[in-house]
Amino acid sequence: MTGSVQRRQAGAAERYDVFHTDCPARDVVDHVTSRWGIWVLISLRSNELRFYELRESIQGISEKMLAQTLRALVQDGLVWREVEPTTPPQVTYGLTEFGRDVGEPLTDLFDRITRRLPPRNAG
């Protein structure tokens, strides 16, 4: 998990105040619930993906937005990034334990929504 920033964990007696503007937990929540953050976490839920595979799996995301989203999620410790020193470099992403823990309820929410929606009409 290279390049990630270690976040201070709150103990049982100490809790983060997510309603305060300078709370670090608030930044993580903002990144997870950003327009693209949730889709990155859901896309990585079952396997590691290279940058281009992520871009193809999330329709509508630009390379710039994917790079920005991944950078924030790596910095938050939700996603790990591995660079293989090839030409061109191959960059692979996956979920950290923290990312799997945060992503699980998002995946459950996504699955519940898609199960409850009426069937799509073909054509």
Side-chain angles (χ1 to χ4, degrees):
M1 180 168 49
T2 339
S4 67
V5 172
Q6 196 81 12
R7 294 279 184 195
R8 179 176 60 113
Q9 291 186 345
E14 177 187 2
R15 295 285 177 212
Y16 288 110
D17 181 4
V18 295
F19 295 103
H20 198 276
T21 57
D22 64 353
C23 176
R26 187 173 179 158
D27 291 337
V28 174
V29 170
D30 287 345
H31 296 151
V32 168
T33 60
S34 70
R35 178 172 182 188
W36 300 110
I38 190 169
W39 299 118
V40 169
L41 293 176
I42 289 173
S43 293
L44 292 172
R45 70 182 171 231
S46 54
N47 54 351
E48 305 166 358
L49 295 173
R50 292 200 173 132
F51 184 88
Y52 77 91
E53 293 171 322
L54 263 171
R55 191 184 67 228
E56 289 176 2
S57 73
I58 306 170
Q59 292 186 2
I61 193 169
S62 68
E63 284 190 27
K64 177 183 176 183
M65 285 310 306
L66 179 56
Q68 287 177 355
T69 302
L70 285 166
R71 194 174 305 116
L73 295 174
V74 166
Q75 185 175 10
D76 291 338
L78 297 163
V79 171
W80 56 261
R81 176 182 191 264
E82 181 178 87
V83 181
E84 295 177 42
T86 58
T87 306
Q90 294 180 345
V91 184
T92 306
Y93 296 90
L95 294 179
T96 64
E97 183 180 335
F98 181 33
R100 284 189 301 276
D101 192 37
V102 169
E104 189 175 327
L106 299 175
T107 299
D108 290 344
L109 175 64
F110 175 76
D111 291 343
R112 286 177 188 208
I113 289 169
T114 56
R115 278 194 311 267
R116 300 288 295 221
L117 287 174
R120 287 184 71 167
N121 294 333

